[in-house]
Amino acid sequence: GENVEQHPSTLSVQEGDSAVIKCTYSDSASNYFPWYKQELGKGPQLIIDIRSNVGEKKDQRIAVTLNKTAKHFSLHITETQPEDSAVYFCAASRETSGTYKYIFGTGTRLKVLA
Amino acid sequence: KAGVTQTPRYLIKTRGQQVTLSCSPISGHRSVSWYQQTPGQGLQFLFEYFSETQRNKGNFPGRFSGRQFSNSRSEMNVSTLELGDSALYLCASSLETGGYGYTFGSGTRLTVV
């Protein structure tokens, strides 16, 4: 069945450095790729998303790139801060005639060391 | 604006019992989706309701059901609870169906003993 692989499972970076998380999806019909940040005791929070007709999207320190040919997309966080520490999830979704499949990756625990 | 509200936050139930979880979406959001989150399986889609109709359903047994009311509030019910149903149940609301721009609640932590 369809799946989304996410790497790495844990990532430690020094404050101020960049962090990159990568996801690969199997369903070539996927057309929506969101990223979520989940802090302890909270639900996931949408931080950025991209649709399949766009190759890159940026929002301040966060950017997402999409390579549809290779079926992978990445989250880039620059100038990391301690408050960026959380678990990050990618997801891939496709909608067909009103029904959709929404599959999450397994998550990356990011630790930003002060 | 108020976020997605899930009640209760924590619940302990015994095997064989049933449970009902509640979700109040962001005002104006007509789509409510439910997810189960566990350390082993991650985030798994249960179902989505839009304008009181179930629009999409994941691969969960019939013991898991839901409904949506005319004010978009949604409830999820699990009957004949099993130990494996212990999980964080998350509700997400959005303006449109399809999972675009989800806003998640903080979840209900269900423990089955």
Side-chain angles (χ1 to χ4, degrees):
Chain A
E2 295 92 349
N3 73 316
V4 175
E5 293 187 4
Q6 183 172 345
H7 298 282
S9 57
T10 60
L11 179 61
S12 294
V13 298
Q14 288 294 133
E15 182 177 359
D17 286 351
S18 294
V20 180
I21 304 170
K22 299 181 180 182
C23 287
T24 303
Y25 59 98
S26 59
D27 185 355
S28 57
S30 296
N31 55 12
Y32 176 64
F33 308 92
W35 285 90
Y36 291 87
K37 173 185 180 183
Q38 188 172 24
E39 297 174 292
L40 200 60
K42 297 183 179 180
Q45 175 192 3
L46 179 67
I47 55 173
I48 195 166
D49 57 8
I50 193 169
R51 305 210 183 195
S52 59
N53 58 345
V54 176
E56 184 174 355
K57 184 176 178 181
K58 189 173 181 181
D59 182 4
Q60 298 183 336
R61 298 186 296 110
I62 295 173
V64 56
T65 58
L66 171 65
N67 183 329
K68 285 218 74 180
T69 304
K71 291 190 288 186
H72 67 70
F73 56 112
S74 301
L75 177 71
H76 305 253
I77 305 173
T78 58
E79 300 171 20
T80 53
Q81 301 166 3
E83 51 265 38
D84 293 329
S85 296
V87 179
Y88 290 81
F89 293 94
C90 64
S93 171
R94 68 167 168 86
E95 184 174 7
T96 308
S97 302
T99 65
Y100 68 94
K101 272 191 177 289
Y102 206 105
I103 301 174
F104 280 86
T106 50
T108 296
R109 184 173 299 279
L110 173 65
K111 295 181 185 177
V112 179
L113 308 170
Chain B
K1 59 181 178 181
V4 177
T5 303
Q6 290 189 246
T7 56
R9 285 299 307 276
Y10 302 93
L11 209 47
I12 300 176
K13 289 287 187 179
T14 304
R15 269 183 304 174
Q17 287 186 315
Q18 75 164 11
V19 68
T20 299
L21 312 182
S22 179
C23 172
S24 294
I26 287 176
S27 178
H29 283 194
R30 296 164 63 191
S31 169
V32 174
S33 298
W34 289 88
Y35 282 84
Q36 181 194 67
Q37 186 175 29
T38 60
Q41 299 297 317
L43 281 152
Q44 293 189 289
F45 175 72
L46 281 153
F47 31 65
E48 181 206 24
Y49 285 85
F50 184 84
S51 294
E52 301 179 66
T53 302
Q54 187 180 89
R55 291 296 183 95
N56 293 279
K57 190 175 189 304
N59 296 322
F60 278 80
R63 300 185 296 108
F64 292 81
S65 63
R67 59 178 175 167
Q68 186 179 35
F69 302 95
S70 58
N71 61 358
S72 294
R73 190 177 72 84
S74 177
E75 288 182 347
M76 187 191 113
N77 186 77
V78 188
S79 62
T80 319
L81 284 165
E82 300 176 0
L83 295 179
D85 296 333
S86 295
L88 180 67
Y89 289 88
L90 291 159
C91 161
S93 76
S94 57
L95 280 168
E96 54 182 321
T97 186
Y100 302 110
Y102 275 152
T103 299
F104 279 89
S106 294
T108 293
R109 171 77 61 187
L110 172 65
T111 302
V112 182
V113 297

PDB file of all heavy atoms in Angstrom, chain A residues 20-46:
ATOM      1  N   VAL A  20      17.410  19.787   8.221  1.00  0.00           N
ATOM      2  CA  VAL A  20      16.725  19.309   7.024  1.00  0.00           C
ATOM      3  C   VAL A  20      16.079  17.958   7.320  1.00  0.00           C
ATOM      4  O   VAL A  20      16.748  17.050   7.835  1.00  0.00           O
ATOM      5  CB  VAL A  20      17.684  19.163   5.827  1.00  0.00           C
ATOM      6  CG1 VAL A  20      16.911  18.658   4.599  1.00  0.00           C
ATOM      7  CG2 VAL A  20      18.363  20.484   5.523  1.00  0.00           C
ATOM      8  N   ILE A  21      14.826  17.829   7.020  1.00  0.00           N
ATOM      9  CA  ILE A  21      14.082  16.573   7.191  1.00  0.00           C
ATOM     10  C   ILE A  21      13.523  16.173   5.827  1.00  0.00           C
ATOM     11  O   ILE A  21      12.978  17.025   5.113  1.00  0.00           O
ATOM     12  CB  ILE A  21      12.941  16.728   8.212  1.00  0.00           C
ATOM     13  CG1 ILE A  21      13.484  17.232   9.553  1.00  0.00           C
ATOM     14  CG2 ILE A  21      12.194  15.406   8.398  1.00  0.00           C
ATOM     15  CD1 ILE A  21      12.410  17.637  10.544  1.00  0.00           C
ATOM     16  N   LYS A  22      13.667  14.889   5.502  1.00  0.00           N
ATOM     17  CA  LYS A  22      13.268  14.440   4.168  1.00  0.00           C
ATOM     18  C   LYS A  22      12.164  13.390   4.213  1.00  0.00           C
ATOM     19  O   LYS A  22      12.146  12.537   5.112  1.00  0.00           O
ATOM     20  CB  LYS A  22      14.488  13.870   3.441  1.00  0.00           C
ATOM     21  CG  LYS A  22      15.591  14.881   3.250  1.00  0.00           C
ATOM     22  CD  LYS A  22      16.774  14.303   2.501  1.00  0.00           C
ATOM     23  CE  LYS A  22      17.863  15.357   2.330  1.00  0.00           C
ATOM     24  NZ  LYS A  22      19.023  14.850   1.566  1.00  0.00           N
ATOM     25  N   CYS A  23      11.276  13.456   3.234  1.00  0.00           N
ATOM     26  CA  CYS A  23      10.200  12.472   3.115  1.00  0.00           C
ATOM     27  C   CYS A  23      10.098  11.966   1.688  1.00  0.00           C
ATOM     28  O   CYS A  23      10.272  12.751   0.736  1.00  0.00           O
ATOM     29  CB  CYS A  23       8.863  13.067   3.550  1.00  0.00           C
ATOM     30  SG  CYS A  23       8.735  13.282   5.333  1.00  0.00           S
ATOM     31  N   THR A  24       9.810  10.689   1.562  1.00  0.00           N
ATOM     32  CA  THR A  24       9.606  10.071   0.265  1.00  0.00           C
ATOM     33  C   THR A  24       8.232   9.416   0.263  1.00  0.00           C
ATOM     34  O   THR A  24       7.879   8.728   1.217  1.00  0.00           O
ATOM     35  CB  THR A  24      10.692   9.005  -0.008  1.00  0.00           C
ATOM     36  OG1 THR A  24      11.976   9.611   0.078  1.00  0.00           O
ATOM     37  CG2 THR A  24      10.514   8.390  -1.383  1.00  0.00           C
ATOM     38  N   TYR A  25       7.469   9.628  -0.803  1.00  0.00           N
ATOM     39  CA  TYR A  25       6.137   9.050  -0.862  1.00  0.00           C
ATOM     40  C   TYR A  25       6.047   8.070  -2.027  1.00  0.00           C
ATOM     41  O   TYR A  25       6.820   8.134  -2.973  1.00  0.00           O
ATOM     42  CB  TYR A  25       5.069  10.139  -0.982  1.00  0.00           C
ATOM     43  CG  TYR A  25       5.206  11.043  -2.193  1.00  0.00           C
ATOM     44  CD1 TYR A  25       4.465  10.819  -3.348  1.00  0.00           C
ATOM     45  CD2 TYR A  25       6.062  12.143  -2.156  1.00  0.00           C
ATOM     46  CE1 TYR A  25       4.573  11.661  -4.441  1.00  0.00           C
ATOM     47  CE2 TYR A  25       6.183  12.978  -3.253  1.00  0.00           C
ATOM     48  CZ  TYR A  25       5.437  12.748  -4.384  1.00  0.00           C
ATOM     49  OH  TYR A  25       5.546  13.577  -5.482  1.00  0.00           O
ATOM     50  N   SER A  26       5.092   7.165  -1.937  1.00  0.00           N
ATOM     51  CA  SER A  26       5.001   6.112  -2.952  1.00  0.00           C
ATOM     52  C   SER A  26       3.873   6.359  -3.962  1.00  0.00           C
ATOM     53  O   SER A  26       3.958   5.889  -5.102  1.00  0.00           O
ATOM     54  CB  SER A  26       4.794   4.749  -2.281  1.00  0.00           C
ATOM     55  OG  SER A  26       3.619   4.747  -1.496  1.00  0.00           O
ATOM     56  N   ASP A  27       2.830   7.081  -3.565  1.00  0.00           N
ATOM     57  CA  ASP A  27       1.686   7.287  -4.449  1.00  0.00           C
ATOM     58  C   ASP A  27       1.946   8.477  -5.378  1.00  0.00           C
ATOM     59  O   ASP A  27       1.919   9.628  -4.946  1.00  0.00           O
ATOM     60  CB  ASP A  27       0.433   7.533  -3.606  1.00  0.00           C
ATOM     61  CG  ASP A  27      -0.831   7.647  -4.437  1.00  0.00           C
ATOM     62  OD1 ASP A  27      -0.744   7.641  -5.688  1.00  0.00           O
ATOM     63  OD2 ASP A  27      -1.913   7.745  -3.848  1.00  0.00           O
ATOM     64  N   SER A  28       2.181   8.195  -6.639  1.00  0.00           N
ATOM     65  CA  SER A  28       2.523   9.257  -7.589  1.00  0.00           C
ATOM     66  C   SER A  28       1.370  10.231  -7.817  1.00  0.00           C
ATOM     67  O   SER A  28       1.570  11.311  -8.366  1.00  0.00           O
ATOM     68  CB  SER A  28       2.966   8.641  -8.919  1.00  0.00           C
ATOM     69  OG  SER A  28       1.951   7.804  -9.434  1.00  0.00           O
ATOM     70  N   ALA A  29       0.155   9.870  -7.384  1.00  0.00           N
ATOM     71  CA  ALA A  29      -0.994  10.759  -7.550  1.00  0.00           C
ATOM     72  C   ALA A  29      -1.118  11.768  -6.400  1.00  0.00           C
ATOM     73  O   ALA A  29      -1.992  12.634  -6.425  1.00  0.00           O
ATOM     74  CB  ALA A  29      -2.278   9.947  -7.657  1.00  0.00           C
ATOM     75  N   SER A  30      -0.255  11.677  -5.410  1.00  0.00           N
ATOM     76  CA  SER A  30      -0.293  12.627  -4.296  1.00  0.00           C
ATOM     77  C   SER A  30      -0.095  14.030  -4.816  1.00  0.00           C
ATOM     78  O   SER A  30       0.738  14.270  -5.698  1.00  0.00           O
ATOM     79  CB  SER A  30       0.793  12.294  -3.266  1.00  0.00           C
ATOM     80  OG  SER A  30       0.560  11.037  -2.687  1.00  0.00           O
ATOM     81  N   ASN A  31      -0.868  14.973  -4.271  1.00  0.00           N
ATOM     82  CA  ASN A  31      -0.779  16.337  -4.792  1.00  0.00           C
ATOM     83  C   ASN A  31      -0.764  17.411  -3.709  1.00  0.00           C
ATOM     84  O   ASN A  31      -0.822  18.608  -4.005  1.00  0.00           O
ATOM     85  CB  ASN A  31      -1.928  16.604  -5.773  1.00  0.00           C
ATOM     86  CG  ASN A  31      -3.278  16.324  -5.149  1.00  0.00           C
ATOM     87  OD1 ASN A  31      -3.397  16.142  -3.944  1.00  0.00           O
ATOM     88  ND2 ASN A  31      -4.315  16.301  -5.982  1.00  0.00           N
ATOM     89  N   TYR A  32      -0.690  17.000  -2.454  1.00  0.00           N
ATOM     90  CA  TYR A  32      -0.656  17.982  -1.359  1.00  0.00           C
ATOM     91  C   TYR A  32       0.291  17.465  -0.294  1.00  0.00           C
ATOM     92  O   TYR A  32       0.183  16.298   0.124  1.00  0.00           O
ATOM     93  CB  TYR A  32      -2.072  18.177  -0.804  1.00  0.00           C
ATOM     94  CG  TYR A  32      -2.159  19.089   0.399  1.00  0.00           C
ATOM     95  CD1 TYR A  32      -1.815  20.439   0.304  1.00  0.00           C
ATOM     96  CD2 TYR A  32      -2.590  18.609   1.631  1.00  0.00           C
ATOM     97  CE1 TYR A  32      -1.898  21.278   1.405  1.00  0.00           C
ATOM     98  CE2 TYR A  32      -2.670  19.446   2.735  1.00  0.00           C
ATOM     99  CZ  TYR A  32      -2.334  20.770   2.615  1.00  0.00           C
ATOM    100  OH  TYR A  32      -2.426  21.603   3.704  1.00  0.00           O
ATOM    101  N   PHE A  33       1.213  18.327   0.159  1.00  0.00           N
ATOM    102  CA  PHE A  33       2.295  17.885   1.045  1.00  0.00           C
ATOM    103  C   PHE A  33       2.458  18.888   2.188  1.00  0.00           C
ATOM    104  O   PHE A  33       3.174  19.877   2.070  1.00  0.00           O
ATOM    105  CB  PHE A  33       3.598  17.763   0.245  1.00  0.00           C
ATOM    106  CG  PHE A  33       3.448  16.916  -0.996  1.00  0.00           C
ATOM    107  CD1 PHE A  33       3.121  17.497  -2.203  1.00  0.00           C
ATOM    108  CD2 PHE A  33       3.598  15.539  -0.938  1.00  0.00           C
ATOM    109  CE1 PHE A  33       2.958  16.727  -3.351  1.00  0.00           C
ATOM    110  CE2 PHE A  33       3.446  14.757  -2.073  1.00  0.00           C
ATOM    111  CZ  PHE A  33       3.117  15.350  -3.280  1.00  0.00           C
ATOM    112  N   PRO A  34       1.810  18.623   3.316  1.00  0.00           N
ATOM    113  CA  PRO A  34       1.942  19.523   4.468  1.00  0.00           C
ATOM    114  C   PRO A  34       3.006  19.032   5.449  1.00  0.00           C
ATOM    115  O   PRO A  34       3.368  17.845   5.460  1.00  0.00           O
ATOM    116  CB  PRO A  34       0.552  19.428   5.107  1.00  0.00           C
ATOM    117  CG  PRO A  34       0.104  18.028   4.793  1.00  0.00           C
ATOM    118  CD  PRO A  34       0.745  17.654   3.470  1.00  0.00           C
ATOM    119  N   TRP A  35       3.477  19.943   6.267  1.00  0.00           N
ATOM    120  CA  TRP A  35       4.385  19.632   7.370  1.00  0.00           C
ATOM    121  C   TRP A  35       3.763  20.122   8.664  1.00  0.00           C
ATOM    122  O   TRP A  35       3.216  21.231   8.722  1.00  0.00           O
ATOM    123  CB  TRP A  35       5.740  20.309   7.176  1.00  0.00           C
ATOM    124  CG  TRP A  35       6.590  19.660   6.132  1.00  0.00           C
ATOM    125  CD1 TRP A  35       6.621  19.949   4.804  1.00  0.00           C
ATOM    126  CD2 TRP A  35       7.549  18.614   6.338  1.00  0.00           C
ATOM    127  NE1 TRP A  35       7.530  19.135   4.162  1.00  0.00           N
ATOM    128  CE2 TRP A  35       8.112  18.312   5.088  1.00  0.00           C
ATOM    129  CE3 TRP A  35       7.986  17.891   7.453  1.00  0.00           C
ATOM    130  CZ2 TRP A  35       9.101  17.334   4.915  1.00  0.00           C
ATOM    131  CZ3 TRP A  35       8.958  16.927   7.284  1.00  0.00           C
ATOM    132  CH2 TRP A  35       9.510  16.648   6.028  1.00  0.00           C
ATOM    133  N   TYR A  36       3.883  19.285   9.717  1.00  0.00           N
ATOM    134  CA  TYR A  36       3.317  19.618  11.013  1.00  0.00           C
ATOM    135  C   TYR A  36       4.397  19.566  12.085  1.00  0.00           C
ATOM    136  O   TYR A  36       5.313  18.761  12.023  1.00  0.00           O
ATOM    137  CB  TYR A  36       2.198  18.638  11.384  1.00  0.00           C
ATOM    138  CG  TYR A  36       0.965  18.766  10.525  1.00  0.00           C
ATOM    139  CD1 TYR A  36       0.860  18.067   9.329  1.00  0.00           C
ATOM    140  CD2 TYR A  36      -0.080  19.591  10.910  1.00  0.00           C
ATOM    141  CE1 TYR A  36      -0.265  18.195   8.535  1.00  0.00           C
ATOM    142  CE2 TYR A  36      -1.217  19.715  10.128  1.00  0.00           C
ATOM    143  CZ  TYR A  36      -1.297  19.019   8.944  1.00  0.00           C
ATOM    144  OH  TYR A  36      -2.420  19.140   8.156  1.00  0.00           O
ATOM    145  N   LYS A  37       4.220  20.415  13.093  1.00  0.00           N
ATOM    146  CA  LYS A  37       5.101  20.433  14.265  1.00  0.00           C
ATOM    147  C   LYS A  37       4.252  20.047  15.470  1.00  0.00           C
ATOM    148  O   LYS A  37       3.171  20.624  15.681  1.00  0.00           O
ATOM    149  CB  LYS A  37       5.671  21.847  14.450  1.00  0.00           C
ATOM    150  CG  LYS A  37       6.468  22.063  15.721  1.00  0.00           C
ATOM    151  CD  LYS A  37       6.869  23.543  15.830  1.00  0.00           C
ATOM    152  CE  LYS A  37       7.678  23.819  17.077  1.00  0.00           C
ATOM    153  NZ  LYS A  37       8.011  25.272  17.212  1.00  0.00           N
ATOM    154  N   GLN A  38       4.714  19.073  16.232  1.00  0.00           N
ATOM    155  CA  GLN A  38       3.966  18.648  17.412  1.00  0.00           C
ATOM    156  C   GLN A  38       4.828  18.806  18.653  1.00  0.00           C
ATOM    157  O   GLN A  38       5.861  18.152  18.787  1.00  0.00           O
ATOM    158  CB  GLN A  38       3.479  17.205  17.280  1.00  0.00           C
ATOM    159  CG  GLN A  38       2.541  16.790  18.413  1.00  0.00           C
ATOM    160  CD  GLN A  38       1.911  15.428  18.193  1.00  0.00           C
ATOM    161  OE1 GLN A  38       2.443  14.594  17.473  1.00  0.00           O
ATOM    162  NE2 GLN A  38       0.756  15.189  18.809  1.00  0.00           N
ATOM    163  N   GLU A  39       4.381  19.653  19.546  1.00  0.00           N
ATOM    164  CA  GLU A  39       5.055  19.842  20.829  1.00  0.00           C
ATOM    165  C   GLU A  39       4.393  18.952  21.873  1.00  0.00           C
ATOM    166  O   GLU A  39       3.251  18.514  21.706  1.00  0.00           O
ATOM    167  CB  GLU A  39       4.995  21.317  21.229  1.00  0.00           C
ATOM    168  CG  GLU A  39       5.731  22.216  20.254  1.00  0.00           C
ATOM    169  CD  GLU A  39       5.556  23.683  20.544  1.00  0.00           C
ATOM    170  OE1 GLU A  39       4.435  24.193  20.384  1.00  0.00           O
ATOM    171  OE2 GLU A  39       6.553  24.341  20.909  1.00  0.00           O
ATOM    172  N   LEU A  40       5.111  18.706  22.944  1.00  0.00           N
ATOM    173  CA  LEU A  40       4.646  17.791  23.980  1.00  0.00           C
ATOM    174  C   LEU A  40       3.291  18.221  24.529  1.00  0.00           C
ATOM    175  O   LEU A  40       3.099  19.386  24.882  1.00  0.00           O
ATOM    176  CB  LEU A  40       5.684  17.746  25.101  1.00  0.00           C
ATOM    177  CG  LEU A  40       5.639  16.531  26.030  1.00  0.00           C
ATOM    178  CD1 LEU A  40       5.853  15.257  25.227  1.00  0.00           C
ATOM    179  CD2 LEU A  40       6.685  16.676  27.125  1.00  0.00           C
ATOM    180  N   GLY A  41       2.351  17.287  24.535  1.00  0.00           N
ATOM    181  CA  GLY A  41       1.044  17.561  25.107  1.00  0.00           C
ATOM    182  C   GLY A  41       0.106  18.336  24.202  1.00  0.00           C
ATOM    183  O   GLY A  41      -0.986  18.725  24.617  1.00  0.00           O
ATOM    184  N   LYS A  42       0.537  18.547  22.950  1.00  0.00           N
ATOM    185  CA  LYS A  42      -0.302  19.300  22.020  1.00  0.00           C
ATOM    186  C   LYS A  42      -0.557  18.495  20.756  1.00  0.00           C
ATOM    187  O   LYS A  42       0.125  17.510  20.467  1.00  0.00           O
ATOM    188  CB  LYS A  42       0.369  20.622  21.654  1.00  0.00           C
ATOM    189  CG  LYS A  42       0.562  21.567  22.824  1.00  0.00           C
ATOM    190  CD  LYS A  42       1.161  22.885  22.356  1.00  0.00           C
ATOM    191  CE  LYS A  42       1.347  23.855  23.511  1.00  0.00           C
ATOM    192  NZ  LYS A  42       1.938  25.144  23.064  1.00  0.00           N
ATOM    193  N   GLY A  43      -1.530  18.939  19.991  1.00  0.00           N
ATOM    194  CA  GLY A  43      -1.764  18.323  18.697  1.00  0.00           C
ATOM    195  C   GLY A  43      -0.814  18.883  17.661  1.00  0.00           C
ATOM    196  O   GLY A  43      -0.167  19.906  17.888  1.00  0.00           O
ATOM    197  N   PRO A  44      -0.684  18.226  16.514  1.00  0.00           N
ATOM    198  CA  PRO A  44       0.175  18.740  15.449  1.00  0.00           C
ATOM    199  C   PRO A  44      -0.304  20.106  14.967  1.00  0.00           C
ATOM    200  O   PRO A  44      -1.500  20.363  14.908  1.00  0.00           O
ATOM    201  CB  PRO A  44       0.017  17.680  14.343  1.00  0.00           C
ATOM    202  CG  PRO A  44      -0.450  16.454  15.038  1.00  0.00           C
ATOM    203  CD  PRO A  44      -1.293  16.930  16.173  1.00  0.00           C
ATOM    204  N   GLN A  45       0.662  20.954  14.636  1.00  0.00           N
ATOM    205  CA  GLN A  45       0.353  22.297  14.130  1.00  0.00           C
ATOM    206  C   GLN A  45       0.906  22.422  12.721  1.00  0.00           C
ATOM    207  O   GLN A  45       2.102  22.174  12.497  1.00  0.00           O
ATOM    208  CB  GLN A  45       0.983  23.339  15.048  1.00  0.00           C
ATOM    209  CG  GLN A  45       0.838  24.777  14.547  1.00  0.00           C
ATOM    210  CD  GLN A  45       1.723  25.755  15.317  1.00  0.00           C
ATOM    211  OE1 GLN A  45       2.487  25.348  16.189  1.00  0.00           O
ATOM    212  NE2 GLN A  45       1.636  27.017  15.000  1.00  0.00           N
ATOM    213  N   LEU A  46       0.065  22.803  11.786  1.00  0.00           N
ATOM    214  CA  LEU A  46       0.512  23.001  10.403  1.00  0.00           C
ATOM    215  C   LEU A  46       1.500  24.167  10.347  1.00  0.00           C
ATOM    216  O   LEU A  46       1.203  25.272  10.816  1.00  0.00           O
ATOM    217  CB  LEU A  46      -0.688  23.299   9.510  1.00  0.00           C
ATOM    218  CG  LEU A  46      -0.401  23.565   8.042  1.00  0.00           C
ATOM    219  CD1 LEU A  46       0.108  22.305   7.353  1.00  0.00           C
ATOM    220  CD2 LEU A  46      -1.651  24.091   7.335  1.00  0.00           C
TER     221      LEU A  46
END
